[in-house]
């Protein structure tokens, strides 16, 4: 909601075409993941980028960096729901992916639709500071002051 309400043109598009909400959810998960890193334990001796990692070593995987990798995502530092969707690391990947991600995405879509339905012309309160997404784990805005008609 923070990203959606912070972009008036995007908000108008999504209000007019709710079919954009799944793309909004996927791009939000890529652009501003709730968790910016994940810790994994090496199952075997391996090497990544010339660095040897012994079996049992813990590796901190930077989700925020992977999701902004310019070699994977064009204009990676731009929030763009129209980008060609590719898997991001917001819900993990491969054998470590969150199996609840599909339910979470549906819940997010339902919540966004409900907010747009129940609060006509919802928008950021211009008399309050703009919300800021902060933190490393469970990141988000501490408040999102809004008004509606």
């Amino acid at each position: 909601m923070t990203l959606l309400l912070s972009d008036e043109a995007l908000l108008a598009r999504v209000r007019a075409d709710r079919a954009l909400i799944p793309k909004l959810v996927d791009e939000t998960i890529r652009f501003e993941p709730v968790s910016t890193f994940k810790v994994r334990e090496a199952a075997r001796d391996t090497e990544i980028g010339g660095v040897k990692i012994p079996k049992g070593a813990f590796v901190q995987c930077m989700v925020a960096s992977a999701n902004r990798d310019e070699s994977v995502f064009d204009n990676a530092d731009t929030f763009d729901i129209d980008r060609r969707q590719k898997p991001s690391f917001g819900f993990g990947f491969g054998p470590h992916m969150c199996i609840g991600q599909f339910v979470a995405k549906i819940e997010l879509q339902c919540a966004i639709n409900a907010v747009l339905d129940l609060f006509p012309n919802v928008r950021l309160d211009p008399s309050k500071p703009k919300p800021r997404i902060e933190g490393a784990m469970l990141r988000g805005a501490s408040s999102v002051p809004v008004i509606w008609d």
Side-chain angles (χ1 to χ4, degrees):
M1 291 307 300
T2 301
L3 292 171
L4 177 60
L5 294 173
S6 296
D7 184 334
E8 291 178 16
L10 177 61
L11 180 57
R13 281 185 64 204
V14 171
R15 273 194 183 112
D17 183 1
R18 301 289 182 88
L20 295 173
I21 292 176
K23 291 171 68 172
L24 169 71
V25 168
D26 285 339
E27 177 64 357
T28 300
I29 292 165
R30 182 200 70 83
F31 191 75
E32 285 290 0
V34 172
S35 174
T36 61
F37 65 91
K38 306 208 183 302
V39 176
R40 297 291 183 252
E41 183 177 357
R44 62 182 183 283
D45 291 343
T46 191
E47 187 174 317
I48 300 174
V51 176
K52 293 181 189 286
I53 301 170
K55 178 181 178 179
F58 289 94
V59 177
Q60 190 170 0
C61 307
M62 299 308 297
V63 173
S65 178
N67 285 350
R68 302 276 184 110
D69 185 340
E70 289 283 347
S71 69
V72 177
F73 299 100
D74 293 334
N75 300 310
D77 287 330
T78 301
F79 182 71
D80 179 9
I81 69 167
D82 295 315
R83 79 174 56 252
R84 193 174 122 249
Q85 293 297 314
K86 295 180 180 181
S88 71
F89 289 91
F91 281 107
F93 193 79
H96 297 286
M97 77 169 194
C98 172
I99 62 173
Q101 71 176 301
F102 307 106
V103 173
K105 288 179 181 182
I106 290 171
E107 289 176 331
L108 287 166
Q109 292 170 28
C110 290
I112 293 166
N113 272 304
V115 167
L116 296 176
D117 289 342
L118 296 171
F119 302 101
N121 198 25
V122 66
R123 59 202 178 277
L124 292 177
D125 184 342
S127 71
K128 305 285 184 190
K130 289 193 175 202
R132 291 181 38 209
I133 297 172
E134 300 176 307
M137 291 296 289
L138 301 178
R139 57 188 270 110
S142 59
S143 70
V144 183
V146 298
I147 56 175
W148 64 90
D149 300 331

